[in-house]
């Protein structure tokens, strides 16, 4: 799968990218803000985005809402240090919500879940807004 990693913390971003690559997936972009994530998704057309919530300029929830407006939005998995954004994440159609530091097994489970969702299922989820 093609994956964008978005986190303003370099160590967290690099750790996620390493886990993704070690699991046989491709990191097509690493970005630090929600605005950069939108550009990366538009240009790279990833299957999944791993998205932090608290970032400068545009938070992850607003970014996810913007991504959901795209014709072919990626599956969204939030990876954050904050547990109190879970409801907002679900409203933004996230298919996963992991707390930092993300456990490798939990991340791989979320990636597998995303892989198993086909485009039709993702479209149906997004219609529930």
């Amino acid at each position: 799968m093609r994956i964008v990693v978005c986190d303003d913390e370099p160590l967290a971003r690099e750790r996620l990218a390493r886990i993704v690559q070690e699991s046989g997936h491709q990191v097509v972009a690493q970005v630090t803000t929600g605005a950069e994530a939108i550009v990366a998704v538009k240009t790279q057309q990833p299957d999944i985005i791993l998205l932090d919530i608290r970032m400068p300029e545009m938070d992850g929830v607003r970014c996810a809402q913007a991504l959901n407006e795209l014709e072919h939005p990626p599956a969204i998995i939030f990876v954050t240090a904050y547990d109190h954004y879970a409801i907002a994440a679900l409203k933004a159609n996230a298919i996963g919500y992991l707390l930092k530091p993300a456990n490798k097994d939990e991340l791989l489970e979320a990636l597998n879940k995303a892989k198993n969702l086909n485009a039709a299922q993702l479209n149906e989820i997004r219609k529930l807004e």
Side-chain angles (χ1 to χ4, degrees):
M1 289 185 296
R2 296 169 45 81
I3 300 172
V4 168
V5 178
C6 180
D7 196 307
D8 61 322
E9 297 175 26
L11 292 177
R13 191 174 57 249
E14 291 165 12
R15 181 176 182 276
L16 290 171
R18 186 180 66 251
I19 292 171
V20 166
Q21 290 168 331
E22 288 174 356
S23 65
H25 302 293
Q26 180 184 8
V27 175
V28 295
Q30 292 186 45
V31 296
T32 60
T33 69
E36 290 175 359
I38 293 168
V39 171
V41 167
K42 286 180 178 179
T43 59
Q44 298 296 324
Q45 296 293 306
D47 303 300
I48 298 171
I49 183 167
L50 301 179
L51 188 59
D52 190 13
I53 288 189
R54 294 209 38 201
M55 297 179 291
E57 298 175 32
M58 175 188 280
D59 70 25
V61 174
R62 284 190 11 226
C63 176
Q65 291 166 340
L67 292 174
N68 283 324
E69 298 295 320
L70 299 176
E71 185 175 349
H72 299 289
I76 299 166
I77 299 172
F78 282 107
V79 184
T80 183
Y82 304 95
D83 62 355
H84 57 277
Y85 290 102
I87 292 175
L90 291 174
K91 288 181 179 179
N93 297 322
I95 63 157
Y97 192 91
L98 305 175
L99 292 176
K100 289 180 183 176
N103 174 303
K104 180 180 178 179
D105 292 334
E106 290 173 338
L107 179 57
L108 294 179
E109 183 178 325
L111 292 175
N112 283 332
K113 178 181 175 184
K115 182 175 154 182
N116 291 332
L117 287 175
N118 64 34
Q121 289 170 312
L122 287 174
N123 286 334
E124 287 303 313
I125 289 170
R126 289 184 176 94
K127 287 180 185 175
L128 297 176
E129 283 194 304

